[in-house]
Amino acid sequence: MGQTRSLDMPLLSPGMVALLAAQFFSALADNAVLIAAIAIVKSQGLPHLVPLLQESFVFPFILLAAFVGQVADGFPKARVMLAANMLKLMGALAMLAGASPLAAYGWIGVGAAIYSPAKYGILSQMFGTSVLVRANGMMEGSTIVAILLGVVLGGWLADHSLAWAFAGVVSAYGLAAFANLFIPSLPAENAGAHFHPWRLIRQFAASLSVLFKNQDSRFSLLGTSVFWGSGTTLRLMLFAWVPAALLITDNQTPANLMGAVSIGIVLGAAAAAVWISLASVNRALLGGLLLGPAILALVFVHALSMAAALMVAIGFCGGLFVVPLNALLQQRGHETIGAGNALAVQNFAENIAMLLFVGMYSAAVMAGISVTTTVTGFGLILLAVVGALTALRLKRD
């Protein structure tokens, strides 16, 4: 493995502006195209396919988990990001041309799986340790704003014109690819990397084993996986819950409520930064324990204003829960297998959880179970899972 050399670039250098722009437009398009894909299957009278859209997107993350990190390190990361954005663009164009939304969104998932390790890995090549944390914060801020705008604009455009929605998605992916051209073309961190599939799979399995044998990293992996599995399911469930509970049938309302959850996550993350440290990480369990009851409260909500407030509260609990656990995993990963390998394992575990949670929701939809019963079951399962995780953690301490 070659030595990682940092350029020690200024935080607001043109290269960083280009990187933030590429991430912003790529994340915006990722979220807008999901809303557009949901609008397509609903217009085709196939609402039961909505959960399968998310399944098709996360499946490539699981299949490619052992390989994408090696790709990110084996080639210049800016070029990896460019290639990944072009794959996403191809998927959006295929969906626009009439291809199966499931297949096209799955192809976008392939691009996203390749893109993820490269966008974070390039930061350590561009910046020294003195500004690396702030650079990561700027990247996260760009992503959060893009998610908010992506779901809101995606919902509004999908309700007015699917053609305009896809024009926006294609334009955003195109702008992301264009911005990629201005990211510094740094040398590959591991230009001599091998790509022997079985060897990579064995290395990945070893990293997975190391993290799950460590009590702190296992706790973090399980907790963040539960958060992302439940969060992804809630995003999809809103498209069935809003018409049933609020009697609103557009695509913009559930998209806006998804945005309210994101706002809550930001507020919860800010609260976690003030109230929770690695030494007091068990405080994060309070946020996790409140997620189940907050989702159960959806059963009693029939007004949009109350729904929006509850979504912010759910997001707040989630942010309070997941942010400290992410920090704990990064620290333990750095001490054991390296932060990059820890990120690959975390992505794998979280996407497995998404597949399982969304799969259960899809089964409930296919079985014709009412959305009220589904929400109740989802809240109870989440409460039981986080409760068990809490009991195991406190017993250990």
Side-chain angles (χ1 to χ4, degrees):
M1 176 76 74
Q3 292 295 314
T4 301
R5 291 174 293 180
S6 168
L7 292 182
D8 284 326
M9 298 172 62
L11 193 57
L12 293 178
S13 62
M16 181 58 168
V17 172
L19 180 61
L20 291 175
Q23 169 61 11
F24 172 81
F25 286 114
S26 187
L28 186 147
D30 286 348
N31 286 275
V33 76
L34 170 62
I35 308 301
I38 289 173
I40 288 176
V41 297
K42 285 173 63 178
S43 69
Q44 294 172 343
L46 302 170
H48 61 281
L49 293 183
V50 169
L52 297 182
L53 284 169
Q54 192 67 53
E55 300 271 61
S56 69
F57 183 81
V58 303
F59 202 55
F61 279 84
I62 297 168
L63 288 180
L64 301 176
F67 312 109
V68 292
Q70 197 79 331
V71 170
D73 288 342
F75 299 95
K77 290 182 175 58
R79 297 297 171 255
V80 173
M81 293 171 66
L82 176 61
N85 268 321
M86 295 308 294
L87 289 175
K88 294 180 183 180
L89 177 59
M90 289 168 57
L93 289 171
M95 200 182 301
L96 177 61
S100 162
L102 293 178
Y105 197 50
W107 186 255
I108 293 172
V110 171
I114 296 170
Y115 186 87
S116 181
K119 74 179 180 184
Y120 286 108
I122 198 172
L123 289 174
S124 61
Q125 286 187 281
M126 292 171 62
F127 302 105
T129 55
S130 62
V131 297
L132 188 55
V133 173
R134 279 183 286 166
N136 271 281
M138 291 172 68
M139 178 76 85
E140 289 301 319
S142 173
T143 303
I144 290 169
V145 173
I147 291 171
L148 282 168
L149 286 177
V151 295
V152 172
L153 288 176
W156 184 81
L157 288 171
D159 280 338
H160 287 77
S161 167
L162 275 175
W164 278 105
F166 275 102
V169 167
V170 169
S171 297
Y173 279 136
L175 287 169
F178 180 72
N180 272 132
L181 299 175
F182 298 93
I183 298 172
S185 185
L186 305 175
E189 288 190 86
N190 188 16
H194 69 81
F195 292 93
H196 303 296
W198 289 114
R199 192 184 304 174
L200 289 175
I201 290 172
R202 285 196 298 270
Q203 289 176 356
F204 182 78
S207 297
L208 191 68
S209 176
V210 168
L211 286 185
F212 268 93
K213 285 178 180 177
N214 180 281
Q215 291 178 320
D216 282 342
S217 57
R218 180 173 64 245
F219 165 61
S220 179
L221 281 171
L222 292 174
T224 60
S225 296
V226 167
F227 169 79
W228 286 110
S230 58
T232 302
T233 306
L234 178 62
R235 278 164 56 115
L236 301 175
M237 196 177 291
L238 285 175
F239 284 88
W241 179 80
V242 166
L246 305 183
L247 306 180
I248 301 173
T249 58
D250 62 10
N251 294 295
Q252 187 173 5
T253 300
N256 289 347
L257 291 176
M258 288 162 58
V261 174
S262 298
I263 292 171
I265 290 173
V266 173
L267 296 175
V274 174
W275 187 53
I276 302 173
S277 66
L278 288 183
S280 60
V281 73
N282 285 358
R283 290 179 178 179
L285 289 166
L286 177 62
L289 288 170
L290 290 174
L291 279 173
I295 289 173
L296 285 170
L298 282 173
V299 174
F300 307 101
V301 173
H302 300 285
L304 181 57
S305 58
M306 285 297 297
L310 187 55
M311 289 300 120
V312 173
I314 289 171
F316 181 88
C317 294
L320 195 68
F321 180 54
V322 77
V323 169
L325 297 191
N326 273 331
L328 179 63
L329 182 62
Q330 288 168 12
Q331 180 64 26
R332 297 297 179 263
H334 176 72
E335 295 169 351
T336 53
I337 62 174
N341 283 326
L343 178 64
V345 171
Q346 184 180 23
N347 283 340
F348 178 75
E350 289 173 357
N351 282 283
I352 288 284
M354 290 182 207
L355 202 66
L356 291 174
F357 274 72
V358 175
M360 288 190 291
Y361 173 57
S362 180
V365 172
M366 295 288 189
I369 298 174
S370 72
V371 67
T372 301
T373 303
T374 303
V375 168
T376 302
F378 177 52
L380 290 173
I381 290 172
L382 185 57
L383 181 59
V385 170
V386 180
L389 184 64
T390 300
L392 289 172
R393 177 67 179 181
L394 297 181
K395 180 180 179 182
R396 173 245 174 177
D397 290 343

